[in-house]
Amino acid sequence: MMRLNPILSQKIIKTLLWILTGSTIGILFFIIIYIFIKGLPQLSWTFLSTNPVDMGRSGGILATIVSTVYLIGIALFFATPLGLGTAIYLTEYTREGLITKIIRFGTESLAGIPSIILGLFGFAIFVIAFGWGWSLLSGGLTLSAMLLPTIIRTSEESILSVPQEYREVAFSLGVGKWKTITRVVLPAALPGIVTGIVLSIARSVGETAVIIFTAGSSLRFPSSIFESGRTLAVHFYILAREGISMPMAYGTAAILVLLILIINISAYMTMRFLMKRYS
Amino acid sequence: MPAIAINNLDLYYGSFQALKGITSFFKEKTITALIGPSGCGKSTLLRCLNRMNDLIDGIRIEGQVLIGDKDIYAPGTDLIQLRKEVGMVFQRPNPFPLSILENVIFGLKIHGQLPSEKKKWEKIAFRALSAVGLWETLKDRLKESALSLTLEQQQRVCIARIVALQSRIVLMDEPCSALDPMATEKIESLMLNLKENFTIVIVTHNMQQAARISEETGFMLLGDLIEFGPTGQIFTKPQDDRTNDYITGRYG
């Protein structure tokens, strides 16, 4: 066999890796550009600020934006304290052992549950058993179960990355355990925790299966969390799936993509800002 | 009356005995050095004096440590009060990722002793940073991150953090081992200044350092306090052969 010149083989490998990386980015850009070309022409202030008319054939998407915000708010309201509390317990209040293994296995499994199954669970518990019907509250609670694993894992990782020294110094200064956590550990872990939460928002913005089962798909402007509501993603799904209006579907999709971009960028910026503040 | 009196102190990590019947007295406003090879128990002993060892699992401590006239291992000891009185300086400078000012006032703030007017904070910072010889250099940089300082300055800020709490005793666990010789010299002269107001106990690997700054020295080996006495005597006329072997460099 012919032996390749090392410089040449180096070049081939480099080009190959370049192509692989390039295609990854390429796929992302293709999706975004395609959606934007189809969707951006639909966007206008009226599109954002009026409610859907005639099942979404005309009018705007205001009600779905509001429902999305409600749903995320409710989900985070429950998932953040629960997730952060679990992470603090796992990292600061217990030793590695059978119990932590079970908890970790539990959260990992929760992360692995298909969202449609979670939706079914939410439907059975919140919608039927608790009698809340299809409502933003049922949807938000179910969604929070979906976000928990992400929040727990990212919080845990960032708490663990806080140098052990800080805890020792704090103890040596007479700071109790809880104050050490709230005044020393959590501030230092904040960038990671916030990033985890913001990224979990991005995930819930795109979720549909869970929400159709639990929050329903009412197009009315939600006036309380006990009413049904349709999120952006669900609206998009129904518009496209039922063939109601493809232009409107693309317009909604463009808003979704923009929203997720904004969330990701703001997560990045928050992290940068907090890291500067605390280091 | 000694500042610290250790009375027949045993410490076990599980079944391993790390300290064996230590009895000693450390004088007030004096620098006492603990020397000995790695693993001899000198850091462990130091960490008994502010009960930092409590954090370790499976540890058992018997005996007494009197600070003032209180046995700090007696049940019902106020650990927060103890650690306010007995500060600790660690091997690696470890200011919090906060501003210099926030670091200095950290202890007071967390113990709810910080006056509400911000003007008084500067006074506290002035006192604490002057005591460690940093005020002139840093007075205009109080808002900067403490992590932007040199290691030597960081170590000084860590000491200032203790000074601000008005501790009486400062425990130092190899405080210069992360520093270069110049910085070490400066920290040593700081320690000599601090001695006027603080009782200092220092653990060090560096025998010359012990000889330069301490008035009393204890030599430890395998969990025993082999010899304790005036530094000059330990280094020139040690009573025990093992001490002699160590200071002449046979092991360690």
Side-chain angles (χ1 to χ4, degrees):
Chain A
M1 201 186 108
M2 195 188 79
R3 279 189 58 195
L4 274 178
N5 163 338
I7 295 179
L8 183 66
S9 70
Q10 194 60 256
K11 266 190 181 153
I12 292 175
I13 299 273
K14 226 176 172 177
T15 323
L16 247 165
L17 291 174
W18 244 106
I19 293 170
L20 292 176
T21 317
S23 359
T24 312
I25 310 260
I27 292 170
L28 174 71
F29 277 106
F30 178 73
I31 295 175
I32 293 179
I33 290 170
Y34 182 79
I35 299 276
F36 280 177
I37 288 176
K38 293 268 197 176
L40 286 181
Q42 309 299 323
L43 300 191
S44 64
W45 179 242
T46 335
F47 185 69
L48 292 177
S49 63
T50 52
N51 282 329
V53 177
D54 189 16
M55 297 296 287
R57 277 186 191 86
S58 56
I61 55 167
L62 180 63
T64 64
I65 294 178
V66 174
S67 296
T68 308
V69 171
Y70 263 122
L71 213 62
I72 291 171
I74 295 166
L76 287 184
F77 179 80
F78 291 104
T80 307
L82 224 66
L84 194 54
T86 308
I88 293 173
Y89 174 75
L90 282 174
T91 48
E92 304 284 335
Y93 278 94
T94 153
R95 259 154 242 143
E96 287 302 308
L98 190 63
I99 294 177
T100 59
K101 271 187 194 140
I102 292 172
I103 297 175
R104 279 213 182 82
F105 182 72
T107 56
E108 299 291 314
S109 310
L110 193 58
I113 293 179
S115 58
I116 194 135
I117 306 278
L118 267 181
L120 190 64
F121 155 81
F123 178 76
I125 301 293
F126 303 121
V127 178
I128 304 294
F130 287 12
W132 293 340
W134 279 316
S135 63
L136 293 170
L137 182 62
S138 308
L141 279 168
T142 318
L143 199 56
S144 74
M146 202 182 93
L147 301 186
L148 265 178
T150 321
I151 295 183
I152 292 174
R153 199 174 323 127
T154 49
S155 306
E156 218 190 322
E157 275 164 20
S158 29
I159 289 174
L160 283 176
S161 71
V162 175
Q164 190 57 32
E165 291 178 333
Y166 291 164
R167 298 178 180 85
E168 279 208 327
V169 191
F171 287 131
S172 83
L173 288 167
V175 184
K177 188 158 190 161
W178 179 241
K179 272 193 177 167
T180 300
I181 292 170
T182 54
R183 303 285 190 90
V184 180
V185 177
L186 289 185
L190 204 57
I193 295 173
V194 172
T195 313
I197 291 173
V198 179
L199 289 178
S200 74
I201 296 177
R203 202 179 151 200
S204 42
V205 166
E207 185 51 44
T208 52
V210 166
I211 292 160
I212 294 177
F213 266 108
T214 53
S217 56
S218 158
L219 261 182
R220 272 189 312 164
F221 189 93
S223 55
S224 88
I225 59 170
F226 295 103
E227 283 182 16
S228 167
R230 185 190 288 192
T231 63
L232 278 166
V234 173
H235 188 51
F236 167 77
Y237 170 75
I238 292 174
L239 287 178
R241 176 79 173 71
E242 320 257 311
I244 294 172
S245 163
M246 281 321 273
M248 284 299 192
Y250 277 117
T252 313
I255 291 289
L256 255 180
V257 172
L258 271 177
L259 206 63
I260 290 170
L261 275 180
I262 291 170
I263 290 170
N264 278 301
I265 292 169
S266 64
Y268 177 75
M269 306 264 272
T270 322
M271 195 173 80
R272 284 273 301 265
F273 169 76
L274 290 173
M275 296 242 278
K276 237 190 228 149
R277 171 72 185 73
Y278 287 103
S279 60
Chain B
M1 196 175 78
I4 304 171
I6 302 165
N7 195 358
N8 207 12
L9 188 73
D10 291 316
L11 182 144
Y12 303 84
Y13 293 120
S15 58
F16 172 75
Q17 189 170 7
L19 293 177
K20 299 169 183 165
I22 308 279
T23 296
S24 193
F25 303 95
F26 300 161
K27 285 185 195 149
E28 205 174 355
K29 296 184 181 169
T30 301
I31 301 179
T32 304
L34 296 172
I35 60 170
S38 300
C40 68
K42 54 194 193 299
S43 281
T44 304
L45 178 58
L46 191 76
R47 282 162 177 256
C48 282
L49 306 182
N50 65 346
R51 290 191 56 173
M52 281 294 278
N53 285 329
D54 289 17
L55 292 175
I56 300 167
D57 296 329
I59 207 161
R60 191 157 53 83
I61 295 165
E62 283 162 13
Q64 274 186 322
V65 174
L66 297 167
I67 288 184
D69 51 3
K70 274 191 234 118
D71 178 6
I72 62 168
Y73 281 98
T77 298
D78 181 351
L79 284 182
I80 291 176
Q81 188 55 37
L82 169 70
R83 290 182 187 145
K84 277 201 280 194
E85 265 173 56
V86 185
M88 188 162 215
V89 179
F90 295 78
Q91 205 162 347
R92 285 185 47 78
N94 48 16
F96 293 116
L98 301 167
S99 73
I100 295 161
L101 179 68
E102 285 171 304
N103 262 286
V104 173
I105 61 174
F106 183 87
L108 291 172
K109 191 173 177 184
I110 230 148
H111 295 303
Q113 293 170 317
L114 197 63
S116 49
E117 309 100 288
K118 290 203 172 180
K119 277 197 179 148
K120 290 192 179 163
W121 297 6
E122 194 153 312
K123 223 177 216 169
I124 293 165
F126 166 74
R127 271 211 317 271
L129 288 173
S130 301
V132 298
L134 273 184
W135 178 253
E136 281 307 315
T137 340
L138 295 186
K139 64 181 173 190
D140 300 320
R141 299 171 53 190
L142 294 178
K143 295 258 156 61
E144 284 176 34
S145 167
L147 299 181
S148 66
L149 301 173
T150 66
L151 281 180
E152 180 216 330
Q153 289 172 327
Q154 289 187 17
Q155 196 63 302
R156 283 174 189 259
V157 168
C158 292
I159 297 171
R161 197 161 54 183
I162 297 169
V163 173
L165 261 184
Q166 296 181 303
S167 307
R168 291 184 299 123
I169 297 171
V170 181
L171 309 176
M172 298 191 167
D173 193 354
E174 312 224 20
C176 300
S177 63
L179 305 179
D180 63 47
M182 289 282 285
T184 300
E185 196 188 324
K186 287 184 186 155
I187 296 284
E188 283 179 7
S189 74
L190 168 62
M191 288 165 68
L192 292 173
N193 285 334
L194 287 174
K195 187 176 77 170
E196 309 204 338
N197 296 306
F198 295 89
T199 303
I200 298 175
V201 184
I202 175 173
V203 158
T204 177
H205 247 99
N206 180 334
M207 275 183 280
Q208 286 81 8
Q209 182 171 58
R212 279 193 299 265
I213 58 169
S214 71
E215 283 127 298
E216 297 208 288
T217 297
F219 169 64
M220 294 183 67
L221 187 64
L222 301 172
D224 278 313
L225 181 62
I226 304 289
E227 193 168 347
F228 188 89
T231 301
Q233 183 193 314
I234 297 280
F235 281 99
T236 53
K237 287 176 291 220
Q239 308 292 303
D240 194 289
D241 288 345
R242 290 168 291 182
T243 314
N244 191 42
D245 287 349
Y246 181 70
I247 61 167
T248 53
R250 297 249 175 104
Y251 55 82

